[in-house]
Amino acid sequence: VIDGTGLNGHGITVAADNVTLSGMIVENFTQTYLASGIYVNSIVNTLKMDDILSRNNDVGFYVTNAGSIDGLDIDNSHFDNNQ
């Protein structure tokens, strides 16, 4: 569990190619504007998410205008109660 209660910023920032996120909860990132459970702000090749729960954040999963993902695979994941 990655718990952002009282913290500024994002839960996970993805800035590399060939990233796999699996079996985790990312929650309570709300202290900054657009605080995200999972945040992408660069060009990324292949991002896989499996069994992810991103909840109670300002944004569950956010890709900025400067970011992009070539090859996104999301399985068995939920983005719940995000603003």
Side-chain angles (χ1 to χ4, degrees), residues 12-33:
I12 298 170
T13 298
V14 178
D17 292 336
N18 303 311
V19 172
T20 299
L21 303 175
S22 181
M24 64 180 71
I25 298 170
V26 185
E27 62 185 2
N28 302 319
F29 286 88
T30 60
Q31 296 297 313
T32 55
Y33 179 69

Side-chain angles (χ1 to χ4, degrees), residues 28-77:
N28 302 319
F29 286 88
T30 60
Q31 296 297 313
T32 55
Y33 179 69
L34 294 179
S36 307
I38 300 167
Y39 179 77
V40 179
N41 69 343
S42 59
I43 298 169
V44 172
N45 291 303
T46 312
L47 171 59
K48 296 179 182 180
M49 291 187 268
D50 183 40
D51 194 26
I52 300 296
L53 174 57
S54 181
R55 65 181 176 200
N56 304 326
N57 303 295
D58 279 348
V59 181
F61 175 49
Y62 184 57
V63 180
T64 69
N65 289 338
S68 68
I69 302 170
D70 182 15
L72 176 62
D73 184 10
I74 302 175
D75 294 308
N76 306 312
S77 298

